[in-house]
């Protein structure tokens, strides 16, 4: 039977005390006077609620197990049989609750609740790569629709024969980053192009980047003298305002050379705000990558590394197969995945990530 790691007991007690403290703070007469603070308290309380409830259920199950043990001391064989049956049932329940509790205790990524910026760029493969970038964007858009999220295209560079050379979108919805963060990396496609007369399979690739949108871009210092801001006329689909006003925005961060564009809105002000948010997310990602390289971690979480150069997945059209190379998962359900049934891949990735964290937790490496 799985036992709760000893180092977690004190942490659980601390979190239960915090849960009670939050309940008391929210019950104060003037608690709603400050809506922002009340929302923060409510959010923290909601995060702790399933953990505290599971901890209580585990304590109750353990007490019931002790009581069932008393039945084994009874002289009545029927009572002993009942005790053994209850013990087996309770031991199974305790194991399930312990595993759930340890999962709930895993370190939570502070960005998990955030919206994201989705960036897809065609790589090797020419026109076929651009078409594949279009396929990936449709796949993610369909998945977002299933989740009830909203997708806003910030900039796009169409391919000559369809698809995209590059497309950048903002995805707005609860836990968007939590669900999508393992999609960063190189995606490879194997299929026969429509223009291929010999029926030969071609291999093309696209890179995907998932960046969490910062709740407050103020945490990234962006002094005006470090920015060059250019306006230009929007291009591509967009209605009557296209090519009539200089509403599109391009911002260059001079110290790093990072360039972002936004041409989705008619309003120059809105485009600038979204471009600034994307720039802040890009700069933060670059700094985090540099810090990880400097730290030269002895062991890096493989599933969650987010390295854009890493080949993470192959989509094989002739065989209807999709393979995620990080967890050696192969599914012959390519059509369903491309239609937006991404949970077929995302849930095993989440489970593998949790298993890695649990292994570190067992070694006492997780805070």
């Amino acid at each position: 039977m799985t036992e709760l790691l000893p180092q977690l007991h004190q942490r659980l007690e601390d979190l239960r005390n915090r849960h009670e403290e939050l309940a008391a703070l929210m019950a104060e007469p003037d608690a709603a006077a400050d809506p922002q603070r009340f929302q923060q308290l409510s959010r923290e309380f909601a995060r702790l609620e399933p953990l505290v409830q599971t901890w209580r259920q585990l304590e109750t199950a353990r007490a019931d197990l002790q009581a069932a043990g008393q039945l084994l001391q009874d002289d009545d064989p029927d009572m002993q049989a009942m005790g053994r049956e209850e013990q087996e049932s309770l031991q199974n329940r305790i194991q399930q609750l312990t595993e759930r509790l340890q999962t709930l205790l895993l370190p939570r990524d502070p960005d998990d609740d955030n919206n994201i910026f989705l960036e897809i760029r065609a790589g090797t493969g020419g026109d076929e790569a651009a078409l594949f970038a279009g396929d990936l964007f449709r796949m993610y858009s369909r998945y977002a629709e299933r989740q009830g999220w909203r997708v806003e295209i910030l900039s796009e560079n169409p391919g000559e024969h369809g698809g995209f050379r590059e497309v950048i979108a903002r995805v707005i919805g609860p836990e968007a980053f939590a669900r999508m963060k393992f999609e960063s990396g190189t995606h490879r496609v194997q299929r026969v192009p429509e223009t291929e007369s010999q029926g030969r399979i071609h291999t093309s690739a696209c890179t995907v980047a998932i960046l969490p949108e910062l709740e407050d871009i103020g945490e990234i210092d962006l002094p005006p003298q470090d920015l060059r801001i250019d306006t230009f006329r929007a291009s591509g689909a967009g209605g009557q305002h296209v090519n009539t006003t200089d509403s599109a925005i391009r911002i260059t961060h001079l110290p790093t050379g990072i360039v972002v564009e936004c041409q989705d809105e008619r309003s120059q002000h809105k485009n600038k705000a979204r471009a600034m948010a994307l720039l802040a997310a890009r700069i933060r990602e670059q700094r985090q990558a540099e810090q990880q390289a400097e730290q030269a971690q002895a062991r890096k979480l493989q599933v969650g590394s987010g390295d854009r150069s890493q080949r993470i997945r192959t989509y094989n059209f002739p065989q209807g197969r999709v393979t995620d190379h990080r967890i050696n998962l192969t599914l012959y359900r390519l059509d369903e995945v491309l239609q937006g049934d991404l949970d077929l891949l995302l849930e095993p990735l989440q489970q593998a990530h949790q298993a890695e964290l649990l292994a570190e937790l067992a070694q006492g490496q997780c805070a």
Side-chain angles (χ1 to χ4, degrees), residues 12-49:
L12 279 165
E13 287 300 330
D14 292 342
L15 291 172
R16 176 153 58 184
N17 292 338
R18 177 58 179 166
H19 181 262
E20 292 173 359
E21 180 187 2
L22 289 166
L25 289 170
M26 291 165 58
E28 291 179 356
D30 58 346
D34 184 346
Q36 186 174 359
R37 180 173 178 270
F38 187 78
Q39 186 178 28
Q40 289 173 344
L41 294 173
S42 301
R43 198 177 297 167
E44 186 181 355
F45 183 86
R47 279 201 298 264
L48 290 177
E49 181 72 13

Side-chain angles (χ1 to χ4, degrees), residues 228-275:
R228 187 176 72 233
I229 301 177
D230 300 309
T231 60
F232 60 100
R233 292 185 179 181
S235 59
Q240 295 180 352
H241 69 286
V242 171
N243 293 326
T244 60
T245 59
D246 291 343
S247 61
I249 291 286
R250 179 185 298 113
I251 302 178
T252 305
H253 186 244
L254 300 175
T256 61
I258 294 174
V259 180
V260 298
E261 291 183 1
C262 185
Q263 50 179 301
D264 183 51
E265 292 282 348
R266 301 182 187 211
S267 162
Q268 188 182 106
H269 176 73
K270 286 185 179 177
N271 276 328
K272 182 180 177 182
R274 291 184 181 176

Side-chain angles (χ1 to χ4, degrees), residues 45-267:
F45 183 86
R47 279 201 298 264
L48 290 177
E49 181 72 13
L51 188 146
V52 171
Q53 290 299 331
T54 304
W55 178 226
R56 287 172 180 159
Q57 290 167 10
L58 180 59
E59 288 182 321
T60 300
R62 282 177 170 163
D64 291 344
L65 182 62
Q66 280 191 329
Q70 298 298 318
L71 294 177
L72 299 179
Q73 311 302 319
D74 199 289
D75 295 333
D76 186 344
D78 290 339
M79 295 298 287
Q80 291 179 13
M82 185 186 299
R84 282 192 292 271
E85 187 177 330
E86 282 191 26
Q87 268 194 333
E88 184 178 351
S89 174
L90 286 164
Q91 283 170 348
N92 289 335
R93 176 162 172 75
I94 287 170
Q95 179 162 342
Q96 292 170 358
L97 289 169
T98 301
E99 290 172 356
R100 173 167 164 73
L101 194 58
Q102 291 188 162
T103 300
L104 289 168
L105 277 166
L106 292 177
R108 180 177 171 80
D109 190 327
D111 293 325
D112 274 354
D113 290 328
N114 293 18
N115 300 327
I116 61 170
F117 293 108
L118 165 66
E119 304 182 348
I120 304 173
R121 294 181 177 84
T124 55
D127 290 338
E128 187 62 21
L131 290 170
F132 179 47
D135 293 337
L136 288 177
F137 183 68
R138 280 189 294 275
M139 176 182 76
Y140 290 129
S141 297
R142 286 166 178 161
Y143 180 69
E145 186 178 350
R146 289 177 180 224
Q147 301 300 312
W149 300 341
R150 195 168 79 252
V151 178
E152 298 174 348
I153 295 179
L154 301 184
S155 66
E156 57 184 302
N157 180 6
E160 288 183 21
H161 300 285
F164 300 100
R165 298 304 307 167
E166 176 185 272
V167 59
I168 299 173
R170 178 172 175 246
V171 181
I172 305 102
E175 296 193 327
F177 186 70
R179 300 297 297 173
M180 293 281 287
K181 61 185 173 184
F182 300 127
E183 290 302 288
S184 290
T186 299
H187 296 240
R188 187 177 67 166
V189 62
Q190 295 171 327
R191 63 182 168 190
V192 179
E194 292 182 10
T195 55
E196 172 56 64
S197 57
Q198 303 298 319
R200 290 173 297 192
I201 296 174
H202 285 227
T203 299
S204 307
C206 292
T207 59
V208 173
I210 303 293
L211 310 179
E213 181 181 35
L214 279 64
E215 289 188 358
D216 178 14
I217 66 171
E219 67 180 79
I220 301 295
D221 188 25
L222 297 172
Q225 63 269 24
D226 286 352
L227 306 177
R228 187 176 72 233
I229 301 177
D230 300 309
T231 60
F232 60 100
R233 292 185 179 181
S235 59
Q240 295 180 352
H241 69 286
V242 171
N243 293 326
T244 60
T245 59
D246 291 343
S247 61
I249 291 286
R250 179 185 298 113
I251 302 178
T252 305
H253 186 244
L254 300 175
T256 61
I258 294 174
V259 180
V260 298
E261 291 183 1
C262 185
Q263 50 179 301
D264 183 51
E265 292 282 348
R266 301 182 187 211
S267 162

Side-chain angles (χ1 to χ4, degrees), residues 316-327:
N316 184 295
F317 276 69
Q319 298 180 18
R321 167 172 57 83
V322 57
T323 300
D324 197 290
H325 304 290
R326 294 163 296 181
I327 54 175

